[in-house]
Amino acid sequence: TMVLVRTDYTESITRLAATPPIIKGWHTEEGPAKLGLLEYTITRTRPHRLPRGYSCVLAVAVYTPEFNVSRLRSSISQLCHALEEPVTKCSSNNKPLIFVAGDFNGADVRPLCTKFYLRQMNREPTRAAKCIDIILSNPPDCYISETRNPLGPPTSSPQYFNLADEASTNSENNEPSCSDHRSVLAVAPKHLYSATRPSERKILVRSGQLRDTVAAIRQLDTNALLADIETDPHSSINRFMQAIRNAQDLHQPLRIVKTKGDQEWMNVEIKQMIRERQRLHSAGEHNLRDQLALRIVGLIATRKANFYREKYTRSKAGMWEHANKLRKPPTTLPPDPEYGERLNEQFSDTVWQGVTQANISRFIRRDALPTVVPVFNFTNVGEQLRNVKSTSASPDGISGKLLYSARLELVSPLVAIFNHCVNKGIVIDEWRLGNITPIPKVQNPATPSDMRPIAITSTLCKIMERIITKQILRLVR
């Protein structure tokens, strides 16, 4: 196992003292010998750029000889003991980025992973059909593993021709290689590394003034847009909704903005000191920068301690809820088109799948239906528009905030649209769509059935449904 450090990307390199344990009384063919129970080296480096929240990199190269189960367990225990000191020297605010790599010869590394919150990055075979060369690390999900050909140029030495492992053959020219182990690399692709940076994220927001959109909606000729609603209701309603979207896009176009995800304990004083530290770093004043960095670390520790002491007290409501969020962070899934298709199949017609809807037409009498008084009027529709919440826009592109702001301009055409939809028994296609967000039901979801669909449907359709529900309940009671 090799630790390669690029010096032009690193501020400091320190090799820590390591004293591997020795097994005495180990007998070989040549007589008694001393055999290392564990061979390892620990190197601490400080690159110029690291993921947020990490202060340095601990690169640990490990080799565990082939022993029985008890000896391998002792080797992992010794490695845990050796890593305690360099890890505990780092503060809790700036934990080290740990990479433990080497030939473990099938040792159980779960105690090591549990103690230092590591995860195994590679699962592919590295020697024959076994994965004995592994990489353990604790960074965010911006690193991936790559398995490549063994190191070393092809050789014609006869001692390599008797190797029975597949890894001892170079795949390019089918000649033996100097090593019988495949190489495993931990790589941070640029797109994955950028995706895990919590400092800023890009979102789409509406620019401009909402009152300009309301003024443009006020100028619309709704009578002309809904003139042929009797003959072609779908096209007429779609034309009306498209006119609203055009007015919104004209006066409030979508633009991409960057938002910073600051911690809840962050304040203005710490932000100013961080900006000053960045200025000193750009100016090349490294001594002043290091002094200010130490002050920032102490200030952050004090601020976090005071903040969480005041927040997580037993007298305050929701204390355990906040504590569980920190203890069990929300599960995020990587984008997977195939998994998305399976979710679509799972969520489509979830409620009525396999259920035949009953025919209730025989219970309806035409003489019992109101023929003069319409279901929708200016009173009930205006009331729903005044009470609408500022929800996100559904696939129809009309948000609750826009409906509330333009309620006086939209109440008249919406009354006509709702009454016509109920009288004709139609629902336009845009009102049948929804933006579905899957929420995990369990800690580690594995199948689509472990996800709960949360849908954002059309606000106009929900307004119509609420009014119809009130009418039905009034008749039933």
Side-chain angles (χ1 to χ4, degrees):
T1 304
M2 296 184 298
V3 178
L4 304 179
V5 181
R6 189 166 176 175
T7 56
D8 54 346
Y9 284 144
T10 308
E11 296 181 4
S12 62
I13 303 173
T14 306
R15 183 169 178 176
L16 305 182
T19 307
I22 301 294
I23 297 178
K24 297 182 180 180
W26 186 267
H27 293 275
T28 62
E29 297 178 356
E30 300 177 357
K34 294 182 179 180
L35 184 64
L37 180 65
L38 179 69
E39 298 178 9
Y40 66 91
T41 60
I42 304 177
T43 306
R44 181 192 291 121
T45 63
R46 184 179 176 84
H48 294 295
R49 301 189 65 178
L50 274 171
R52 183 178 292 258
Y54 297 92
S55 60
C56 62
V57 176
L58 288 180
V60 186
V62 183
Y63 172 71
T64 304
E66 292 189 54
F67 291 126
N68 52 24
V69 177
S70 60
R71 292 275 177 87
L72 291 175
R73 192 180 297 116
S74 301
S75 301
I76 298 301
S77 178
Q78 292 288 344
L79 183 60
C80 292
H81 179 72
L83 279 176
E84 283 183 356
E85 182 178 358
V87 171
T88 53
K89 282 186 177 180
C90 300
S91 63
S92 59
N93 299 328
N94 294 313
K95 56 186 177 181
L97 188 63
I98 305 174
F99 284 98
V100 182
D103 183 0
F104 287 88
N105 277 311
D108 187 5
V109 296
R110 286 179 294 180
L112 186 64
C113 296
T114 303
K115 187 169 185 177
F116 298 102
Y117 302 98
L118 307 178
R119 63 180 179 87
Q120 183 173 343
M121 298 183 59
N122 61 307
R123 300 287 181 179
E124 298 181 0
T126 58
R127 189 173 187 267
K130 298 181 180 180
C131 181
I132 60 177
D133 305 280
I134 60 179
I135 299 178
L136 306 176
S137 184
N138 66 334
D141 297 333
C142 58
Y143 288 87
I144 61 175
S145 62
E146 294 183 359
T147 304
R148 300 186 180 180
N149 293 333
L151 292 177
T155 179
S156 58
S157 179
Q159 60 178 335
Y160 296 103
F161 278 87
N162 297 325
L163 295 174
D165 304 291
E166 296 178 2
S168 62
T169 304
N170 196 320
S171 60
E172 296 179 358
N173 47 19
N174 201 19
E175 293 183 5
S177 175
C178 285
S179 174
D180 61 339
H181 292 252
R182 289 189 178 92
S183 303
V184 183
L185 302 179
V187 185
K190 186 175 181 180
H191 65 283
L192 292 180
Y193 185 84
S194 302
T196 57
R197 291 167 56 187
S199 58
E200 61 183 25
R201 59 191 180 96
K202 298 179 180 180
I203 59 175
L204 286 173
V205 297
R206 290 283 181 182
S207 60
Q209 299 293 330
L210 183 60
R211 60 174 178 266
D212 296 336
T213 304
V214 175
I217 294 176
R218 191 180 300 117
Q219 301 297 326
L220 294 178
D221 189 0
T222 56
N223 295 327
L225 294 174
L226 302 175
D228 54 347
I229 191 172
E230 295 291 339
T231 58
D232 193 359
H234 288 277
S235 300
S236 181
I237 297 175
N238 289 333
R239 193 184 312 116
F240 170 73
M241 297 183 65
Q242 185 62 40
I244 297 177
R245 287 193 292 266
N246 292 339
Q248 188 177 23
D249 294 337
L250 178 62
H251 299 280
Q252 290 183 277
L254 288 172
R255 64 185 182 93
I256 299 177
V257 297
K258 296 181 180 180
T259 60
K260 293 187 177 181
D262 292 333
Q263 299 290 341
E264 52 187 357
W265 43 262
M266 183 66 70
N267 56 15
V268 179
E269 181 183 0
I270 298 177
K271 287 184 178 181
Q272 291 177 352
M273 295 179 67
I274 292 175
R275 284 195 291 267
E276 178 65 17
R277 184 194 61 184
Q278 298 296 335
R279 187 192 67 79
L280 294 175
H281 177 75
S282 302
E285 301 177 4
H286 299 294
N287 293 332
L288 296 177
R289 179 205 61 186
D290 295 339
Q291 295 176 7
L292 185 59
L294 292 177
R295 291 178 53 195
I296 292 174
V297 170
L299 186 61
I300 288 177
T302 305
R303 169 64 180 167
K304 288 177 66 175
N306 296 334
F307 177 82
Y308 289 119
R309 190 182 298 112
E310 295 176 0
K311 182 176 182 179
Y312 299 111
T313 57
R314 296 192 177 185
S315 60
K316 289 188 177 181
M319 187 271 291
W320 290 112
E321 180 181 358
H322 292 293
N324 289 329
K325 287 182 179 180
L326 290 179
R327 185 170 59 90
K328 295 180 180 180
T331 305
T332 57
L333 297 177
D336 187 0
E338 296 182 359
Y339 189 73
E341 293 295 334
R342 295 202 303 270
L343 286 177
N344 287 335
E345 295 177 1
Q346 175 72 20
F347 295 158
S348 61
D349 300 331
T350 303
V351 179
W352 299 107
Q353 189 173 9
V355 179
T356 57
Q357 298 188 25
N359 185 11
I360 61 174
S361 59
R362 57 192 179 94
F363 299 101
I364 299 176
R365 295 184 305 168
R366 290 295 177 184
D367 54 353
L369 296 178
T371 56
V372 179
V373 181
V375 179
F376 302 93
N377 50 50
F378 288 91
T379 302
N380 51 22
V381 175
E383 179 184 0
Q384 292 295 327
L385 289 177
R386 284 194 303 271
N387 298 329
V388 69
K389 297 181 180 180
S390 299
T391 57
S392 301
S394 60
D396 60 5
I398 301 177
S399 62
K401 188 175 182 179
L402 177 61
L403 293 176
Y404 175 81
S405 302
R407 59 187 182 277
L408 299 178
E409 290 79 9
L410 296 177
V411 61
S412 178
L414 289 180
V415 168
I417 291 174
F418 290 162
N419 282 321
H420 185 80
C421 290
V422 171
N423 294 334
K424 298 297 182 180
I426 61 173
V427 177
I428 63 175
D429 296 335
E430 289 185 351
W431 292 358
R432 300 173 182 266
L433 303 178
N435 295 328
I436 298 180
T437 302
I439 304 298
K441 300 179 185 177
V442 296
Q443 182 66 24
N444 296 316
T447 60
S449 60
D450 296 337
M451 311 294 288
R452 179 181 290 108
I454 304 298
I456 299 179
T457 56
S458 174
T459 306
L460 293 176
C461 186
K462 287 189 285 188
I463 290 175
M464 185 176 68
E465 291 171 353
R466 291 193 189 104
I467 298 175
I468 294 176
T469 302
K470 288 185 178 181
Q471 296 286 346
I472 294 176
L473 292 177
R474 184 178 60 84
L475 294 175
V476 171
R477 293 171 182 171

